[in-house]
Amino acid sequence: MPWEKNEIIKTTLDWGGLNKLPENSKIIEIEKRGSMFTRQFIIEFESSNSDINSWIEKNEKLKKITPKIENQKKIYDIHPGENGALGGSVEIDNNIVKVKMSWS
C-alpha cells in the first residue's frame, strides 16, 4: 500500500537520523522484516552520484562517520540509531544506496 511505503521510508530515515531521500531518487525496493518484538526496514534507491554525495554532506549523522570500503562499496555503520532504534547501515555501491535500520 502506498501509505505503508511512505511510512516505512519515513520511519527508516528517522531511526537512522537521516535526511529525506534525494529529490530525484528512484525507489528500487522496500522491505519489512521482523516480528512483534523486532523490526527491520530496508530501503534501496538509485540516484545520481552528485545527488548521493550531496545527501551525505547534508546528513549530520553520516558526515561524522568514516565509511568502511568493501569492494568499492562504502558502508556507513550507524550505531546507535535514533528514537530507540538499535542502528543499522547505509551502503553505497555506485548509484545504488541501501539503508538498513533495526529496532528491538
Side-chain angles (χ1 to χ4, degrees), residues 8 11-12 15 31-32 39-42 99-101:
I8 289 173
T11 301
T12 304
W15 285 355
E31 192 174 343
K32 176 174 59 171
R39 185 71 65 214
Q40 182 183 40
F41 294 140
I42 301 168
V99 181
K100 303 176 189 177
M101 293 304 299

Side-chain angles (χ1 to χ4, degrees), residues 22-26 45-56 92 94-97:
E23 196 72 30
N24 296 320
S25 61
K26 175 187 167 201
F45 69 91
E46 182 176 17
S47 195
S48 69
N49 282 330
S50 61
D51 284 347
I52 291 169
N53 289 333
S54 178
W55 182 69
I56 292 167
I92 303 171
N94 292 318
N95 293 17
I96 307 292
V97 179

Side-chain angles (χ1 to χ4, degrees), residues 22 27 33-34 56 63 73 79 86 99:
I27 300 294
R33 298 179 182 169
I56 292 167
K63 283 193 329 187
K73 181 190 298 186
H79 291 93
L86 292 173
V99 181

Side-chain angles (χ1 to χ4, degrees), residues 6 10-11 15 20 26 30 33 35 37-38 44 52 56 73 75-78 87-89 97 101 104:
N6 292 335
K10 180 184 178 307
T11 301
W15 285 355
K20 69 178 188 164
K26 175 187 167 201
I30 294 178
R33 298 179 182 169
S35 67
F37 301 109
T38 64
E44 189 171 0
I52 291 169
I56 292 167
K73 181 190 298 186
I75 302 171
Y76 294 82
D77 285 321
I78 300 174
S89 65
V97 179
M101 293 304 299
S104 179

